[in-house]
């Protein structure tokens, strides 16, 4: 049995908590609001500052961190063999499909499972770290190039996904809060668009991040084998460069009043380039601070979240869909108000994880995933 790396569990917990900072907007506001703060006209000062802060420090950063850790995890599981990995990732695809159709269209599990089914073979067949790293960086940059290509191919007039009319907002509010087959049908349409984006652009970046994670695991960087001083230098360098790259793009988005073509494509590029740097900067900061924070109760609680990452990701979905869909709170709050709700959901994650692991060795969904994986192997 492989030994868990406690620091990685902590970083994974940080990533799960950080992802909610952006996901709560996707749960609670129309689709257009996720990237466009001007979806209802120019935003208020508080709405802009909330969006800008999250865009600079969280947007895509925690997703990138989670993808890097996912690749590191696949690297650790390679010794289990082809059948184990294929079964594990295939079941993740099924879980993601069910999650996306029945609960929430913003699912990432399906994308991770599909990409992982391709990437693990490349990890296995490219034993040279430098070659795997070059391949990962190339694929990530290829995804960035595809974003620019899509911008050049797009028209200048935004659709309802960027600037929805009152009727589109009313209809989205209706199917989200009423559920039923109409909600499933709309989620299916969104899922189809997400799979197209995965194939054309996002999948290249996701694959690249997973490969980078595998290289960092092989080299020992994600095992915490380097000095505290090394991680401290890396954290400040990576975060400083990432922020410097993205900050002008945030100002330019406001200057051009969130014009669809520029903001929806070209000015997304600095964020795409900065996200892996900041994600690795956050990871390095965790390693640098680990000797200090390791004894803290909060650290142990966040580590528990990381050990139950799948269960906690789905718990966030259950909480948010209950609040915003079942209780019809959808489109009733500003970004700042939604941000104020996040700590309460974090507390649910913390309490659930600590209490569950007090009695059990792994989370409920982790247990189910493992059982299904073993079942898939036996049926071969």
């Amino acid at each position: 049995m492989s030994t868990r790396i406690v620091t990685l569990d902590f970083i994974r917990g940080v990533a799960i908590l950080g992802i909610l900072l952006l996901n709560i907007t996707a749960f609670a506001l129309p689709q257009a609001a996720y990237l466009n703060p001007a979806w209802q006209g120019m935003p208020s000062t508080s709405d802009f500052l909330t969006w800008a802060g999250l865009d600079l420090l969280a947007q895509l950063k925690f997703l990138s961190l989670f993808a890097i850790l996912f690749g590191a995890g696949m690297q650790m599981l390679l010794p289990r063999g082809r059948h184990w990995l294929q079964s594990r990732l295939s079941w993740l695809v099924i879980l993601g499909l069910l999650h996306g159709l029945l609960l929430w269209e913003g699912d990432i599990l399906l994308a991770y499972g599909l990409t992982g089914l391709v990437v693990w073979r490349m990890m296995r067949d490219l034993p040279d770290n430098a070659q795997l790293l070059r391949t990962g960086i190339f694929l990530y940059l290829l995804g960035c190039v595809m974003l620019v290509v899509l911008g050049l191919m797009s028209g200048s007039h935004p659709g309802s996904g960027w600037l929805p009319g009152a009727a589109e907002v009313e209809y989205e509010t209706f199917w989200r809060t009423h559920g039923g087959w109409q909600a499933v049908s709309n989620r299916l349409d969104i899922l189809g668009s997400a799979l197209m984006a995965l194939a054309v652009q996002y999948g290249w970046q996701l694959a690249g991040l997973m490969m980078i994670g595998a290289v960092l695991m092989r080299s020992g960087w994600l095992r915490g084998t380097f000095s505290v001083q090394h991680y401290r230098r890396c954290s400040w360098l990576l975060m400083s460069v990432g922020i410097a790259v993205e900050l002008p793009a945030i100002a330019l988005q406001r200057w051009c009043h969130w014009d669809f073509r520029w903001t929806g494509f070209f000015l997304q590029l600095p964020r795409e380039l900065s996200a892996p740097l900041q994600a690795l900067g956050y990871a390095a900061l965790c390693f640098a601070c680990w000797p200090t924070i390791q004894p803290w109760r909060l650290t142990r609680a966040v580590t528990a979240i990381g050990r139950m990452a799948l269960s906690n990701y789905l718990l966030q979905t259950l909480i948010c869909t209950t609040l915003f869909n079942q209780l019809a709170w959808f489109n009733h709050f500003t970004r700042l108000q939604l941000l104020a709700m996040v700590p309460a959901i974090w507390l649910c994650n913390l309490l659930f994880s600590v209490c569950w692991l007090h009695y059990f060795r792994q989370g409920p969904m982790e247990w189910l995933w493992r059982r299904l994986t073993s079942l898939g192997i036996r049926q071969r």
Side-chain angles (χ1 to χ4, degrees):
M1 180 180 295
S2 61
T3 303
R4 298 196 70 93
I5 302 174
V6 179
T7 319
L8 279 191
D9 285 332
F10 174 77
I11 298 172
R12 192 177 296 108
V14 170
I16 287 293
L17 295 176
I19 286 171
L20 182 63
L21 291 169
L22 280 303
N23 278 358
I24 196 165
T25 300
F27 281 115
L29 293 175
Q31 275 187 283
Y34 188 75
L35 291 177
N36 181 17
W39 67 281
Q40 284 186 309
M42 289 298 291
S44 64
T45 300
S46 65
D47 206 46
F48 166 72
L49 291 176
T50 304
W51 169 84
L54 290 175
D55 200 76
L56 183 65
L57 300 175
Q59 178 68 272
L60 201 59
K61 284 71 176 178
F62 291 106
L63 281 172
S64 297
L65 179 57
F66 197 73
I68 289 169
L69 295 176
F70 192 86
M74 283 199 296
Q75 176 63 40
M76 295 177 68
L77 291 173
L78 280 180
R80 290 184 177 270
R82 174 170 63 92
H83 296 309
W84 174 272
L85 275 168
Q86 286 180 333
S87 179
R88 181 176 175 84
L89 293 168
S90 296
W91 278 110
L92 186 64
V93 169
I94 294 172
L95 291 173
L97 183 62
L98 293 174
H99 179 234
L101 287 178
L102 302 180
L103 293 175
W104 183 50
E105 64 284 349
D107 169 78
I108 61 172
L109 304 177
L110 177 60
Y112 278 60
L114 289 172
T115 306
L117 283 169
V118 176
V119 169
W120 79 265
R121 293 176 173 85
M122 302 179 72
M123 294 178 183
R124 179 196 61 187
D125 298 337
L126 291 175
D128 181 68
N129 285 357
Q131 187 178 3
L132 184 60
L133 179 61
R134 287 195 298 268
T135 304
I137 293 174
F138 170 77
L139 290 178
Y140 190 86
L141 293 177
L142 179 60
C144 294
V145 170
M146 290 305 300
L147 182 65
V148 176
V149 172
L150 291 173
L152 293 173
M153 294 172 59
S154 68
S156 58
H157 298 291
S160 60
W162 189 260
L163 279 179
E168 285 87 1
V169 172
E170 185 176 353
Y171 176 64
E172 185 174 352
T173 303
F174 170 80
W175 67 258
R176 285 180 181 271
T177 55
H178 286 74
W181 172 249
Q182 202 160 25
V184 174
S185 177
N186 279 280
R187 292 192 192 106
L188 185 60
D189 290 340
I190 295 171
L191 182 63
S193 299
L195 289 175
M196 181 65 70
L198 183 71
V200 173
Q201 189 258 329
Y202 179 57
W204 302 107
Q205 293 177 303
L206 193 55
L209 291 171
M210 290 180 184
M211 291 181 191
I212 292 170
V215 172
L216 294 175
M217 177 55 67
R218 290 181 185 180
S219 69
W221 198 87
L222 280 176
R223 295 180 182 270
T225 58
F226 290 72
S227 68
V228 169
Q229 291 75 19
H230 167 84
Y231 288 114
R232 187 178 295 122
R233 287 193 299 269
C234 285
S235 66
W236 291 115
L237 177 63
L238 291 167
M239 287 190 293
S240 298
V241 172
I243 289 172
V245 168
E246 186 176 355
L247 196 56
I250 292 175
L252 286 172
Q253 288 185 60
R254 190 181 191 189
W255 179 77
C256 70
H257 302 294
W258 288 275
D259 173 78
F260 168 64
R261 197 172 192 187
W262 278 97
T263 307
F265 296 97
F266 303 132
L267 291 177
Q268 299 291 328
L269 186 60
R271 182 196 300 129
E272 305 286 336
L273 294 173
S274 69
L277 302 177
Q278 286 180 253
L280 291 174
Y282 294 160
L285 183 61
C286 291
F287 282 116
C289 296
W290 188 248
T292 301
I293 67 176
Q294 184 178 7
W296 297 357
R297 289 185 178 181
L298 179 60
T299 300
R300 292 196 292 271
V302 174
T303 300
I305 291 176
R307 288 181 59 186
M308 296 171 49
L310 178 59
S311 296
N312 278 290
Y313 174 71
L314 295 176
L315 176 62
Q316 291 176 356
T317 294
L318 291 175
I319 293 172
C320 290
T321 53
T322 298
L323 293 175
F324 302 113
N325 295 356
Q326 303 301 319
L327 297 182
W329 288 7
F330 184 78
N331 201 22
H332 277 65
F333 299 94
T334 65
R335 290 178 194 273
L336 187 59
Q337 291 169 332
L338 292 172
L339 187 61
M341 296 180 186
V342 168
I345 302 174
W346 283 351
L347 183 60
C348 292
N349 285 131
L350 291 166
L351 293 174
F352 169 62
S353 302
V354 171
C355 292
W356 186 275
L357 290 179
H358 181 74
Y359 296 100
F360 305 98
R361 294 181 58 185
Q362 58 186 159
M365 291 306 301
E366 284 72 20
W367 175 85
L368 177 62
W369 190 13
R370 189 181 185 91
R371 295 282 292 182
L372 291 172
T373 299
S374 300
L375 178 64
I377 294 175
R378 287 199 298 269
Q379 288 181 343
R380 286 181 178 274

